[in-house]
Amino acid sequence: MLVSIKDIAKKAGVSISTVSYALNGSPKVTKETSERIQAIAKELNYIPSAAARSLKKRETKIIGIYLTNYSGAFYGQLLQGMMETLSENGYELIVCSGKESHRFLPERMIDGAIILDATYETEELLSHAERGHKLVVMDRRMDHPNISQVLLDNKAGATLAIDHLAEKGHRKIYVVKGPEISFDARQRLAAVQKAVQRYSHIEYVELEGDFNKPSGEIAAKKIHQDFKEPVGVFCLNDEMAIGMYNYLSRTNLRVGEDVHIIGFDNIEVSQYIQPRLATINYSKHKWGALASELLLNLIKKKKPEHERINVSFVEGDSVKNR
Amino acid sequence: MLVSIKDIAKKAGVSISTVSYALNGSPKVTKETSERIQAIAKELNYIPSAAARSLKKRETKIIGIYLTNYSGAFYGQLLQGMMETLSENGYELIVCSGKESHRFLPERMIDGAIILDATYETEELLSHAERGHKLVVMDRRMDHPNISQVLLDNKAGATLAIDHLAEKGHRKIYVVKGPEISFDARQRLAAVQKAVQRYSHIEYVELEGDFNKPSGEIAAKKIHQDFKEPVGVFCLNDEMAIGMYNYLSRTNLRVGEDVHIIGFDNIEVSQYIQPRLATINYSKHKWGALASELLLNLIKKKKPEHERINVSFVEGDSVKNR
DNA sequence: ATAATAAAGGAAAACGTTTACAGAAAGAGA
DNA sequence: TCTCTTTCTGTAAACGTTTTCCTTTATTAT
């Protein structure tokens, strides 16, 4: 039923090694024999076995990206960037999410992994690296000969946001935090705390958040309850900002008049909601492409690299002068 | 460097088959030997080779889902539903997107595939099925002993939408179409055409669209240009509705007053935008779970099945009485 | 004519498992 | 004591490739 190179060899009257060479375009076999073998392979509908090949070659030409929150609104562009870079180099990308998918790396189902999944234990990553597996982390800092990293410039982004609110004359600033587990959230928060210190006249309040829309609504509720005069709010991601929009729309407070909001990530929908959300932008495509490039370098035995993705401020109607 | 069962066997003073049996919990080997072997395996940091195992067992316990548009806003819940069902049954899920990833199925990297990717040729799918591979299609109709299908009830959804607009007294209805390649788009459109025939007094206009936000903006521009009196609009998905919101906000036309909009899909953000979008809802989670279940059944040699996912109307503030 | 070289292809080992089958040891029944 | 089970473990083949090292044949140089 299942056709292997053995069947081709028999039909062509050659040995299996010749078939293998022919199918791989090796110059060791005549053009004519090669073509004859190719023809027979096609005729028999031959398809190589990935398992057999990777068992022998000790590689799969597949890269895995580890994600938790598939819902995240920017994965599309991120993955696009990765796929382009990888496929130019003969690699395929698969997205791994299930808890058991962690075994893909140690079991050598994939030749390397890109990590964007805070629930993946750093210890575990380290032990993989220790065994010689190649990794790129996008969600934490790690220093190891088999690990490269490419991180967002969260510090710059958060500082940009706070400075913008201060510039617009806001004297009370809320920040809606992210989940403790997220590296980006922690970095953004730390940068915010440092930035507000430069403005001694600013009253600064932290609100809980988990990067999802409902937590933005809850934060909005707090703000509504305390409301006395116009305030600035820095939501540590756009999702929560959207939750906040929604809650406020059911109150007498107006975004861009009473509550001035800045987000982070510039997800696609942020430029479609009303008023347009001011936010921190960065190229998701580039982030993914760079991560892939560094992984490929690592696989080619190059040195690990540490890169940073620049961010920029995106003007919006959600922040005006106080 | 790389430890295999051979190394364990040597260290434990048994044969490799005993190691294999022990590691797989076969009753053929004593509890003591088994435990001793397990201990040694752990000590040596043994990890099985996925390639070797799947070469021998002719299965990988991995299912692939084929997607094009990662950006799609509902993949999170869909994949969640799939992963739950699959992992309960000892399978892992990987998301495949790259053009070359098509080979995963014929090369037996995966034990089955779920298709939600209109660019995947039906011919190609058929040839896979013909070779004995198991498939579930979510984006087309196919009849084959190795293919199950689970489709949205697009017809019911589209009818619900048109009826709602008609009930609200609208006499001019626009429909913003989807891309020709999409089965869902074609089905929805066909149902719309059939539904409007029942309302002879309704003026019906079709506008181009491709399921992305910018095409919703373009459609909105047309509507704005032609505007005379309040109209109803059925956007064949929510994304385009959001694009329409955005364009209209820059005009004098108001959603829910001048332009009454219904979407399709009920993506998460639709309930967060203002005014809340009326739309057609269905359980993404269930859709994914069911598709996985049917695939598992197929793998267990059960008969192919054809299922349908029910849809329902979601009230919103984007549609009011004319 | 002979030896040296090149060209084309083949034999076999290896990759790391699983598993059918065979074998050995030990206990039980006669 | 002998045979028959039962219980454990070992041998070896198989999965489908790739690749190293040979062998054969043809070609060229001497």
Side-chain angles (χ1 to χ4, degrees):
Chain A
M1 183 69 236
L2 219 148
V3 16
S4 73
I5 53 171
K6 204 181 285 184
D7 304 300
I8 301 178
K10 196 181 296 173
K11 181 141 188 177
V14 298
S15 76
I16 60 164
S17 55
T18 303
V19 175
S20 176
Y21 286 129
L23 261 25
N24 291 305
S26 154
K28 296 193 63 176
V29 50
T30 342
K31 203 167 172 220
E32 295 99 60
T33 357
S34 180
E35 276 167 4
R36 193 163 54 87
I37 289 174
Q38 312 257 17
I40 293 178
K42 184 158 288 176
E43 182 194 339
L44 294 183
N45 258 318
Y46 167 75
I47 306 236
S49 152
R53 170 178 292 142
S54 67
L55 174 59
K56 184 64 193 171
K57 300 197 71 165
R58 291 155 159 280
E59 69 173 16
T60 60
K61 290 287 182 182
I62 298 175
I63 298 298
I65 158 96
Y66 282 84
L67 298 177
T68 19
N69 244 10
Y70 212 76
S71 36
F74 57 72
Y75 289 138
Q77 290 170 69
L78 191 76
L79 297 178
Q80 193 59 39
M82 293 181 175
M83 282 184 2
E84 283 171 16
T85 304
L86 292 175
S87 82
E88 277 167 19
N89 290 276
Y91 282 81
E92 268 304 309
L93 182 70
I94 66 177
V95 181
C96 313
S97 226
K99 181 69 187 163
E100 278 301 304
S101 66
H102 284 197
R103 59 184 173 78
F104 289 167
L105 195 57
E107 291 186 359
R108 279 154 287 149
M109 283 249 49
I110 55 181
D111 292 348
I114 299 174
I115 314 295
L116 187 51
D117 174 355
T119 71
Y120 212 131
E121 300 282 353
T122 297
E123 286 247 335
E124 199 182 343
L125 294 179
L126 208 56
S127 86
H128 291 155
E130 210 51 55
R131 283 162 171 277
H133 295 294
K134 311 301 185 183
L135 298 173
V136 172
V137 290
M138 303 175 77
D139 66 344
R140 72 195 75 198
R141 226 176 233 135
M142 287 186 78
D143 220 323
H144 188 281
N146 286 327
I147 306 183
S148 283
Q149 88 191 11
V150 37
L151 305 176
L152 296 180
D153 195 346
N154 288 305
K155 187 170 181 320
T159 309
L160 240 32
I162 296 299
D163 285 352
H164 185 74
L165 289 173
E167 250 168 52
K168 292 290 182 180
H170 293 286
R171 329 188 63 138
K172 176 163 187 177
I173 295 182
Y174 289 92
V175 56
V176 185
K177 302 191 285 183
E180 184 55 37
I181 195 177
S182 158
F183 174 79
D184 289 325
R186 294 195 306 270
Q187 270 206 323
R188 288 169 199 179
L189 182 63
V192 165
Q193 289 167 345
K194 197 156 178 186
V196 291
Q197 283 180 1
R198 302 202 317 266
Y199 303 102
S200 53
H201 66 286
I202 289 183
E203 185 189 348
Y204 165 67
V205 184
E206 293 181 359
L207 298 174
E208 295 305 316
D210 65 2
F211 274 1
N212 293 309
K213 295 189 186 75
S215 71
E217 297 189 89
I218 293 169
K221 188 174 177 184
K222 278 261 172 45
I223 291 171
H224 182 231
Q225 285 167 352
D226 296 356
F227 191 80
K228 290 194 198 89
E229 43 173 14
V231 296
V233 183
F234 177 28
C235 291
L236 258 33
N237 80 353
D238 285 3
E239 289 269 328
M240 298 191 294
I242 290 171
M244 186 162 284
Y245 270 53
N246 188 42
Y247 185 89
L248 294 176
S249 75
R250 301 193 299 268
T251 71
N252 55 332
L253 301 180
R254 290 293 145 256
V255 175
E257 291 175 30
D258 307 306
V259 183
H260 299 254
I261 305 179
I262 296 189
F264 201 120
D265 283 343
N266 193 22
I267 62 179
E268 196 197 9
V269 76
S270 297
Q271 302 309 310
Y272 281 88
I273 56 178
Q274 291 305 322
R276 261 182 36 251
L277 181 64
T279 186
I280 304 298
N281 181 57
Y282 50 88
S283 167
K284 290 97 196 151
H285 187 280
K286 184 175 168 192
W287 196 18
L290 190 53
S292 307
E293 195 186 323
L294 298 198
L295 185 53
L296 258 19
N297 285 348
L298 231 35
I299 290 174
K300 287 184 211 135
K301 312 270 186 199
K302 294 204 187 141
K303 293 234 172 312
E305 300 161 79
H306 289 188
E307 293 280 356
R308 177 188 292 156
I309 296 293
N310 290 327
V311 303
S312 62
F313 177 70
V314 180
E315 203 79 50
D317 304 315
S318 59
V319 179
K320 305 242 172 71
N321 277 314
R322 176 165 178 273
Chain B
M1 183 71 235
L2 219 147
V3 18
S4 74
I5 53 171
K6 204 182 284 184
D7 304 300
I8 301 179
K10 194 181 298 173
K11 182 139 185 177
V14 297
S15 75
I16 61 163
S17 58
T18 303
V19 174
S20 177
Y21 286 129
L23 260 25
N24 290 305
S26 153
K28 296 191 63 177
V29 49
T30 333
K31 205 170 172 217
E32 294 100 61
T33 354
S34 179
E35 276 167 3
R36 193 163 55 87
I37 290 173
Q38 312 256 17
I40 293 177
K42 183 157 289 175
E43 182 194 337
L44 293 183
N45 258 318
Y46 167 75
I47 306 235
S49 151
R53 170 179 291 142
S54 68
L55 173 58
K56 183 63 193 173
K57 299 198 73 165
R58 291 156 158 281
E59 67 173 18
T60 61
K61 291 285 183 182
I62 299 175
I63 299 298
I65 159 95
Y66 282 83
L67 298 177
T68 18
N69 246 10
Y70 271 115
S71 37
F74 57 71
Y75 289 137
Q77 291 170 70
L78 190 76
L79 297 178
Q80 193 59 38
M82 293 181 174
M83 282 186 359
E84 283 171 17
T85 305
L86 292 175
S87 79
E88 276 167 20
N89 290 275
Y91 282 82
E92 268 303 311
L93 182 72
I94 66 177
V95 181
C96 313
S97 222
K99 182 66 186 165
E100 279 301 303
S101 65
H102 284 197
R103 60 184 171 80
F104 290 167
L105 196 58
E107 292 187 358
R108 280 154 286 147
M109 282 250 49
I110 55 180
D111 292 347
I114 300 173
I115 314 296
L116 187 52
D117 174 354
T119 70
Y120 212 131
E121 300 282 352
T122 297
E123 286 247 336
E124 199 182 344
L125 295 178
L126 209 56
S127 87
H128 292 155
E130 211 50 57
R131 281 163 172 277
H133 295 293
K134 311 301 184 182
L135 299 173
V136 172
V137 290
M138 302 175 76
D139 66 345
R140 70 196 74 197
R141 229 178 231 132
M142 289 187 76
D143 221 322
H144 188 282
N146 286 328
I147 306 183
S148 282
Q149 87 190 12
V150 37
L151 305 176
L152 295 181
D153 195 346
N154 288 306
K155 187 171 182 321
T159 309
L160 240 31
I162 296 299
D163 285 351
H164 185 74
L165 289 172
E167 249 169 52
K168 292 289 183 180
H170 293 286
R171 329 188 62 139
K172 176 162 186 177
I173 294 183
Y174 289 93
V175 57
V176 185
K177 301 191 285 184
E180 185 54 37
I181 196 178
S182 157
F183 174 78
D184 289 324
R186 294 194 306 269
Q187 270 206 322
R188 288 169 199 178
L189 181 64
V192 164
Q193 289 167 345
K194 196 156 181 187
V196 291
Q197 283 181 3
R198 302 202 317 268
Y199 304 102
S200 52
H201 65 287
I202 288 182
E203 185 189 348
Y204 164 69
V205 184
E206 293 181 1
L207 298 174
E208 296 304 316
D210 65 1
F211 275 0
N212 293 309
K213 295 190 186 78
S215 71
E217 297 189 90
I218 293 168
K221 187 174 178 184
K222 278 260 170 45
I223 291 172
H224 181 230
Q225 284 167 351
D226 297 356
F227 192 79
K228 291 197 196 86
E229 43 174 12
V231 295
V233 183
F234 177 28
C235 291
L236 259 33
N237 79 354
D238 285 3
E239 289 269 329
M240 299 191 294
I242 290 171
M244 187 162 283
Y245 270 53
N246 187 43
Y247 186 89
L248 294 177
S249 75
R250 300 192 300 266
T251 71
N252 55 332
L253 300 181
R254 291 292 146 256
V255 175
E257 291 174 31
D258 307 307
V259 183
H260 300 253
I261 305 178
I262 297 189
F264 202 119
D265 284 343
N266 192 22
I267 61 179
E268 196 198 8
V269 76
S270 297
Q271 300 310 309
Y272 281 88
I273 56 179
Q274 292 304 322
R276 262 181 36 250
L277 180 64
T279 185
I280 305 297
N281 181 57
Y282 50 87
S283 168
K284 289 100 197 149
H285 187 278
K286 184 175 168 189
W287 197 17
L290 190 54
S292 308
E293 194 186 325
L294 298 198
L295 184 52
L296 260 17
N297 285 346
L298 230 35
I299 290 174
K300 287 184 211 135
K301 312 269 185 202
K302 293 203 187 144
K303 293 235 170 310
E305 299 161 79
H306 289 188
E307 293 280 356
R308 177 187 293 157
I309 295 293
N310 290 327
V311 304
S312 61
F313 178 71
V314 179
E315 202 79 51
D317 304 316
S318 59
V319 180
K320 303 240 174 69
N321 276 314
R322 175 163 180 275

